[in-house]
């Protein structure tokens, strides 16, 4: 009996010793990593009836030895709407949380957001921070304070129509595949999280009205972010895209508002852009590579480098647009509109560009550059525009050179013209233009255009 008791005691001590060794076997190697079941914790459309909800994720330690998390906390502390529960313990901040080798822990994240509060920020953000072995890991937390249609890395696999009942939130990316059409109804709001993109490989038809425009913007709708550039990537039209139309929309606060990288694959324009405001882009409003753009009655302003930048040739029909390039937010050094037949010595093509009844104005000496550097045959027609330029080439064809258009208030984004503007009644008649009845018979606000019209996107009479 005594012998059995000694064996049992020895076995117990051995197991206790082994357990202690495992508890103490912690690696402090700065190269040791933790893995996570998600790269971010997202709360989307769950706030329709209750103000709180919970998400779960796991933290994995695939190392042989344990890792001690010295500090784990919600970045906003006690004032954050987020709180965490680590392995059953509710906390805002915890210390010395150990994950044994080849083991994991569960973290529950709770958020308190009231979707019925009108002044609730549209998006609430924070992060979980973990400090271990001299480094920091960060898991973003994102919650939306209003109900919405939420899409993360989504692909639309069949022809789809979005209505205007709820906003759409795009996280990371939305892709419209080849031969698929996304129709966006008037009044719809499309919001993009930081770094997100809409990839159009099929067809985008966004048809707003003067009273119910369509909005493409960042998901940060608080006043401080309302006009802040660089908050999302932009709309990208790929080589397989075709027959796209954006009419009566606002595209704002991105990096490159619209990117188009090829010519049309059929007899229709690759993209018709009409009656649309493109503003507050960190780099460029429209970026084209050997592509086609027809653009009527649009307003472009407040972009970091270019309002329109088209290189490698292509086809451009720009009529009745206002390109207003000022540098209130940016130290600009590049023209408002830049078109070229050239990319490199091996990449160039014909440039066919017609600019009619536009205002191309800004703070620089030259706001229009049309460059011909290759041997490709190009056709350039610039007629009846107001242009800020030192180049004598634009002084004919009815163009007004260096005559201030007298915008009502450019600093406040009001680019309508006052009663004494030199652009009044200077537009040539466009009755025979193929898109006259569709887009050019009225201005951006839906006002009847009388010829001779005003230059730019606003009709005064």
């Amino acid at each position: 009996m005594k012998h059995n008791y000694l064996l049992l005691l020895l076995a117990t001590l051995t197991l206790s010793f082994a357990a202690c060794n495992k508890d103490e076997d912690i690696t402090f190697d700065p190269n040791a990593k933790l893995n996570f079941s998600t790269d971010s914790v997202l709360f989307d459309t769950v706030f329709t009836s209750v103000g709180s909800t919970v998400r779960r994720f796991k933290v994995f330690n695939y190392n042989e030895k344990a890792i001690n998390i010295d500090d784990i906390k919600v970045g906003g502390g006690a004032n954050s709407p987020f709180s965490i529960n680590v392995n059953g313990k509710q906390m805002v901040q915890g210390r010395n949380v150990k994950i044994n080798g080849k083991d994991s822990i569960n973290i529950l994240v709770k958020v308190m957001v009231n979707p019925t509060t009108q002044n609730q920020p549209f998006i609430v953000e924070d992060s979980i921070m973990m400090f271990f072995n001299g480094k920091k890991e960060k898991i973003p937390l994102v919650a939306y304070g209003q109900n919405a249609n939420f899409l993360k890395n989504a692909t639309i696999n069949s022809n789809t129509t979005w209505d205007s009942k709820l906003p759409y939130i795009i996280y990371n990316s939305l892709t419209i595949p080849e031969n698929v059409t996304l129709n966006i109804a008037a009044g719809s709001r499309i919001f993009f999280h930081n770094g997100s993109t809409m990839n159009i490989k099929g067809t985008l038809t966004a048809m707003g009205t003067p009273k119910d425009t369509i909005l493409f913007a960042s998901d940060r709708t608080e006043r401080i972010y309302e006009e802040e550039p660089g908050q999302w990537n932009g709309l990208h039209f790929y080589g397989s895209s075709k027959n796209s139309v954006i009419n009566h929309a606002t595209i704002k606060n991105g990096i490159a508002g619209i990117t188009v990288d090829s010519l049309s694959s059929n007899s229709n324009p690759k993209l018709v852009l009409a009656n649309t405001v493109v503003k507050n882009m960190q780099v460029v409003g429209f970026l084209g590579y050997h592509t086609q753009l027809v653009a009527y009655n649009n307003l472009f302003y407040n972009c970091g480098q270019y309002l329109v930048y088209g290189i490698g040739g292509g086809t451009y029909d720009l009529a009745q647009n206002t390109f207003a390039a000022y540098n209130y937010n940016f130290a600009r050094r590049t023209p408002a509109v830049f078109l070229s037949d050239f990319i490199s010595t091996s990449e160039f093509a014909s440039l066919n560009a017609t600019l009619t009844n536009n205002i191309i104005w800004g703070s620089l000496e030259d706001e229009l550059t049309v460059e011909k550097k290759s041997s490709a045959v190009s056709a350039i027609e610039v007629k009846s525009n107001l242009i800020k330029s030192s180049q004598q080439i634009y002084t004919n064809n009815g163009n007004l050179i260096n005559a201030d258009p007298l915008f009502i208030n450019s600093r406040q984004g009001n680019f309508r013209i006052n009663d004494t503007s030199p652009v009044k009644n200077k537009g040539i008649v466009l009755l025979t233009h193929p898109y006259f009845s569709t887009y050019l018979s009225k201005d951006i606000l839906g006002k009847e255009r009388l010829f001779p019209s005003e230059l730019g996107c606003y009709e005064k009479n």
Side-chain angles (χ1 to χ4, degrees):
M1 188 72 167
K2 182 177 179 180
H3 178 71
N4 291 339
Y5 173 77
L6 289 174
L7 288 175
L8 179 61
L9 179 62
L10 180 61
T12 301
L13 290 173
T14 301
L15 289 173
S16 298
F17 180 75
C20 288
N21 275 349
K22 186 174 183 181
D23 285 343
E24 295 173 0
D25 197 11
I26 297 173
T27 179
F28 298 97
D29 183 355
N31 294 317
K33 296 179 180 180
L34 292 175
N35 295 84
F36 306 94
S37 60
T38 183
D39 59 359
S40 57
V41 179
L42 310 176
F43 300 82
D44 42 69
T45 61
V46 296
F47 303 117
T48 54
S49 59
V50 294
S52 66
T53 189
V54 175
R55 290 284 188 269
R56 178 197 304 267
F57 73 99
K58 300 191 76 169
V59 183
F60 300 95
N61 176 16
Y62 294 129
N63 300 280
E64 294 293 334
K65 297 181 179 181
I67 287 180
N68 186 70
I69 301 176
D70 304 310
D71 194 8
I72 179 171
K73 62 182 180 180
V74 177
N79 295 323
S80 176
F82 299 93
S83 60
I84 56 176
N85 183 305
V86 181
N87 279 348
K89 294 181 180 180
Q90 191 73 24
M91 63 180 69
V92 173
Q93 182 173 6
R95 298 185 184 278
N96 297 318
V97 177
K98 192 182 73 170
I99 309 178
N100 288 327
K102 306 296 183 181
D103 205 349
S104 63
I105 61 171
N106 289 301
I107 297 181
L108 300 180
V109 185
K110 183 177 182 180
V111 62
M112 292 292 295
V113 178
N114 187 354
T116 63
T117 302
Q118 293 300 313
N119 60 0
Q120 171 71 50
F122 189 81
I123 180 173
V124 178
E125 291 187 289
D126 208 329
S127 60
I128 298 173
M129 293 183 288
M130 304 179 195
F131 300 85
F132 64 95
N133 294 6
K135 60 184 180 180
K136 178 176 72 173
E137 291 283 359
K138 184 177 179 181
I139 299 293
L141 307 174
V142 182
Y144 292 91
Q146 300 175 22
N147 196 13
N149 299 298
F150 185 87
L151 303 108
K152 179 183 180 184
N153 294 326
T155 298
I156 298 174
N157 290 312
S158 60
N159 293 345
T160 301
T161 297
W162 287 358
D163 60 36
S164 60
K165 294 178 181 178
L166 293 173
Y168 293 81
I169 310 295
I170 295 173
Y171 197 98
N172 289 351
S173 69
L174 175 82
T175 299
I176 307 169
E178 187 174 358
N179 298 320
V180 172
T181 297
L182 172 62
N183 298 296
I184 301 179
S188 298
R189 294 169 293 158
I190 319 300
F191 294 115
F192 296 80
H193 194 61
N194 183 42
S196 297
T197 310
M198 181 180 285
N199 300 308
I200 301 101
K201 299 178 181 180
T203 301
L204 173 66
T205 304
M207 299 297 291
T209 68
K211 292 185 177 180
D212 290 310
T213 60
I214 296 170
L215 176 63
F216 298 88
S218 160
D219 60 2
R220 300 305 299 261
T221 59
E222 305 96 304
R223 183 177 296 274
I224 191 174
Y225 296 104
E226 189 175 7
E227 303 296 332
E228 186 67 23
Q231 297 182 63
W232 59 290
N233 289 344
L235 310 177
H236 191 152
F237 293 82
Y238 285 81
S240 58
S241 69
K242 59 185 179 182
N243 304 337
S244 290
V245 179
I246 300 174
N247 188 28
H248 287 295
T250 295
I251 306 170
K252 69 175 188 174
N253 300 354
I255 295 175
I258 300 170
T259 300
V260 188
D261 61 13
S262 58
L263 289 170
S264 176
S265 59
N266 56 30
S267 59
N268 298 323
K270 190 175 187 72
L271 172 64
V272 175
L273 181 69
N275 302 299
T276 291
V277 178
V278 181
K279 64 177 181 175
N280 303 340
M281 294 298 159
Q282 188 175 49
V283 178
V284 61
F286 175 88
L287 175 60
Y289 298 97
H290 185 53
T291 192
Q292 180 183 30
L293 172 68
V294 297
Y296 311 126
N297 288 334
N298 301 292
L299 170 62
F300 283 73
Y301 72 97
N302 196 33
C303 296
Q305 295 185 31
Y306 303 91
L307 300 180
V308 172
Y309 181 77
I311 59 174
T315 302
Y316 294 83
D317 183 17
L318 311 180
Q320 298 284 175
N321 301 286
T322 298
F323 300 105
Y326 291 88
N327 57 350
Y328 300 132
N329 294 339
F330 305 99
R332 293 179 53 251
R333 296 180 177 84
T334 50
V337 178
F338 180 92
L339 301 175
S340 175
D341 62 348
F342 189 83
I343 297 177
S344 68
T345 54
S346 60
E347 294 179 282
F348 56 87
S350 298
L351 173 63
N352 300 294
T354 302
L355 283 69
T356 311
N357 292 0
N358 302 286
I359 297 174
I360 306 172
W361 189 260
S363 57
L364 302 183
E365 185 180 22
D366 288 288
E367 293 291 2
L368 172 64
T369 297
V370 180
E371 180 182 76
K372 188 179 184 313
K373 293 180 64 176
S374 78
S375 58
V377 178
S378 296
I380 312 297
E381 187 174 36
V382 181
K383 56 185 178 181
S384 298
N385 304 275
L386 186 150
I387 306 171
K388 180 81 171 290
S389 179
S390 64
Q391 302 180 48
Q392 293 298 311
I393 190 174
Y394 301 127
T395 57
N396 52 15
N397 289 337
N399 294 307
L400 294 175
I401 305 300
N402 300 329
D404 191 326
L406 299 179
F407 297 127
I408 289 178
N409 194 326
S410 59
R411 187 172 288 276
Q412 294 182 4
N414 187 343
F415 294 98
R416 301 184 198 187
I417 56 172
N418 67 30
D419 291 334
T420 59
S421 172
V423 307
K424 290 186 65 177
N425 304 322
K426 294 298 193 298
I428 61 172
V429 177
L430 298 177
L431 295 174
T432 60
H433 192 285
Y435 284 97
F436 175 78
S437 59
T438 312
Y439 300 113
L440 287 167
S441 62
K442 297 180 180 180
D443 76 351
I444 190 172
L445 300 177
K447 181 181 291 188
E448 200 75 25
R449 180 166 275 129
L450 303 178
F451 290 96
S453 66
E454 275 67 82
L455 304 183
C457 62
Y458 294 108
E459 187 74 3
K460 183 68 177 175
N461 49 34

